[in-house]
Amino acid sequence: MRRAAEVWPFRPTVRYARTLAEALRAETIGGIVMLTATVAALVWANVSYESYAALRDTKIGPVALHLDLELVKWAQNGLLTIFFFVAGLEVKEEFVHGELSNLRKAALPIIAAVAGMIVPAVIFLLVSWGAPDAGRGWAIPTATDIAFALAVLAVTASAMPAALRAFLLTSAVVDDLGAISIIAIFYTENLDLIMLAIGVLLICLYGFLQYKRVKGVWIYLPLAVLAWYFVEVSGVHATVAGVALGLLTRVWTDDSEERSPSEAADHYIRPLSAGFAVPVFAFLSAGVQLNSSSLSGIFSDRVVLGVVAGLVLGKFLGVFGGAWLSVRLGLARLSEELHWRDMAAVSLLAGIGFTVSLLIGGLAYGHDPQRADAVTTGILAASLIASVLAAVLLNLRVRNRRRALDDV
């Protein structure tokens, strides 16, 4: 006889939850959920912008702790910390076990990623030169959205060599590390050194406990929340705490363990990030009114035009040019499985800014709602253009590869 705890509906519910969580670990599903949230935000904002804005700007949280924030701020400073914690885990894994563990292999994606941050920023500044507050937004086109980019690659070109996905993932991981560094250095105001020092001490304690093999989620969870709080109230963007905690999570497996703490954390937290944190952030950040005025602003507002040019053109030139130059100078080599046309297609994918670009756009122009909405429109338009162009080129590459194999 089965135990009472195992009878329906408990077992189907658990099985369904596990199936859902497993699906959310796949880039394709995560990208679809995020896209659905974005479309929902756009529909609501264009049907009733007042009610959407009222929800987005609703304040909740304890005033005494300085956490009476709008919902959109909770999404930016709270939920995205979960996303960046997962990004920190990915960076650590790449440095220890992945492509970044080998300097020769890492040179290609690292140089491509660095060039893919510098060139878009330069193009943005050139296009937006002289526009009011243009200098605040230079970092917006420097970021690549890992989830969306990998989702487009998985949907349109799953037959492409694994080396292409490895290049995109590794360069996007380096890109994320660069983006969070930019946020910490250039978008920090009113710094409270005492609060920051406490936050840093708590993050160091987390790392020390990881080093000492201390186990127990109920030790680390309160510690992580406290670290997040003190970094948040210090004036440094709280997502920095998420990346730092991810980087300090142990990636080595002991003899008594089936998987490392990093693998375990990724297994449980990635579905939360992909299925809730990022979609909610997208929903609360992407709702802009799409009318003739806002769409024409893409071409008339030089800041918005700079964002579009930086993401679509700058990312392509930076990533592809950086990869080509690193091979040309003998600093790296291209995998025998890949052709430069493949690299061109995946370089276009790097122009999908979305999550981090929306975050930086909000930090740069949050004081000016009209400009912030215009920049959001530009980010969405650029990400759509980059997605379509990359999907078309990737599809052509898949067909050409199949044709070449058939001829053999």
Side-chain angles (χ1 to χ4, degrees):
M1 180 181 295
R2 292 182 297 177
R3 292 174 296 177
E6 294 181 340
V7 299
W8 189 89
F10 181 73
R11 284 189 60 150
T13 303
V14 171
R15 187 183 301 116
Y16 174 77
R18 288 174 179 169
T19 303
L20 180 62
E22 194 61 39
L24 288 170
R25 293 184 187 102
E27 292 92 3
T28 308
I29 302 300
I32 290 172
V33 174
M34 184 162 47
L35 180 60
T36 303
T38 303
V39 172
L42 289 171
V43 170
W44 188 349
N46 284 275
V47 170
S48 176
Y49 186 77
E50 292 74 17
S51 61
Y52 173 83
L55 172 68
R56 182 189 61 193
D57 298 333
T58 298
K59 281 191 174 185
I60 60 171
V63 178
L65 296 177
H66 305 289
L67 291 178
D68 53 328
L69 306 175
E70 298 92 344
L71 287 179
V72 67
K73 290 293 184 182
W74 274 111
Q76 292 176 349
N77 299 12
L79 293 180
L80 276 196
T81 304
I82 300 172
F83 167 80
F84 276 107
F85 175 74
V86 174
L89 296 177
E90 290 179 333
V91 172
K92 184 70 170 289
E93 286 284 354
E94 285 294 318
F95 271 112
V96 176
H97 301 302
E99 295 289 323
L100 298 179
S101 62
N102 184 302
L103 185 59
R104 181 70 173 174
K105 291 182 178 180
L108 185 67
I110 287 178
I111 295 172
V114 172
M117 289 186 283
I118 295 173
V119 176
V122 171
I123 288 181
F124 172 87
L125 291 173
L126 290 175
V127 173
S128 64
W129 189 266
D133 273 346
R136 295 182 61 86
W138 65 270
I140 295 172
T142 62
T144 295
D145 190 289
I146 297 179
F148 253 147
L150 289 177
V152 173
L153 182 64
V155 170
T156 61
S158 59
M160 293 294 282
L164 194 65
R165 182 186 184 280
F167 170 81
L168 178 61
L169 175 61
T170 307
S171 59
V173 163
V174 176
D175 189 289
D176 267 357
L177 192 58
I180 202 67
S181 301
I182 288 171
I183 291 171
I185 297 170
F186 296 100
Y187 293 96
T188 295
E189 300 176 359
N190 304 319
L191 184 63
D192 188 325
L193 291 176
I194 295 177
M195 290 297 184
L196 180 60
I198 296 173
V200 170
L201 285 174
L202 290 168
I203 291 171
C204 290
L205 177 59
Y206 176 97
F208 178 75
L209 294 176
Q210 282 286 302
Y211 175 75
K212 286 297 185 180
R213 275 33 180 196
V214 175
K215 299 179 180 179
V217 67
W218 299 115
I219 297 174
Y220 291 108
L221 186 58
L223 192 59
V225 171
L226 285 173
W228 170 85
Y229 169 74
F230 282 103
V231 172
E232 164 67 16
V233 297
S234 74
V236 176
H237 202 270
T239 51
V240 175
V243 169
L245 293 170
L247 289 172
L248 289 173
T249 303
R250 181 165 56 88
V251 298
W252 295 276
T253 305
D254 290 338
D255 294 337
S256 60
E257 296 175 326
E258 292 184 2
R259 55 189 175 189
S260 68
S262 176
E263 290 174 309
D266 185 272
H267 180 82
Y268 289 109
I269 297 176
R270 185 177 292 274
L272 177 63
S273 173
F276 180 73
V278 175
V280 170
F281 166 77
F283 179 77
L284 292 172
S285 302
V288 292
Q289 289 182 298
L290 300 178
N291 48 42
S292 57
S293 176
S294 63
L295 294 176
S296 64
I298 296 176
F299 304 99
S300 61
D301 188 328
R302 278 183 292 162
V303 169
V304 181
L305 191 59
V307 170
V308 176
L311 283 171
V312 178
L313 180 61
K315 272 293 185 181
F316 171 77
L317 293 177
V319 173
F320 185 80
W324 181 84
L325 190 62
S326 66
V327 173
R328 185 76 174 176
L329 295 177
L331 301 174
R333 65 181 183 85
L334 188 65
S335 170
E336 295 178 356
E337 297 179 306
L338 298 178
H339 190 278
W340 282 113
R341 292 172 186 171
D342 303 327
M343 298 298 290
V346 84
S347 298
L348 282 170
L349 272 182
I352 304 175
F354 205 75
T355 305
V356 183
S357 292
L358 287 175
L359 172 61
I360 297 176
L363 294 175
Y365 298 112
H367 64 284
D368 183 350
Q370 186 173 357
R371 171 58 63 76
D373 282 354
V375 166
T376 297
T377 304
I379 293 170
L380 295 176
S383 298
L384 177 62
I385 293 169
S387 300
V388 172
L389 291 176
V392 170
L393 191 51
L394 284 167
N395 191 262
L396 288 174
R397 291 300 301 152
V398 170
R399 290 183 180 182
N400 290 339
R401 283 178 172 273
R402 286 174 180 169
R403 193 177 298 118
L405 290 174
D406 292 340
D407 292 340
V408 174

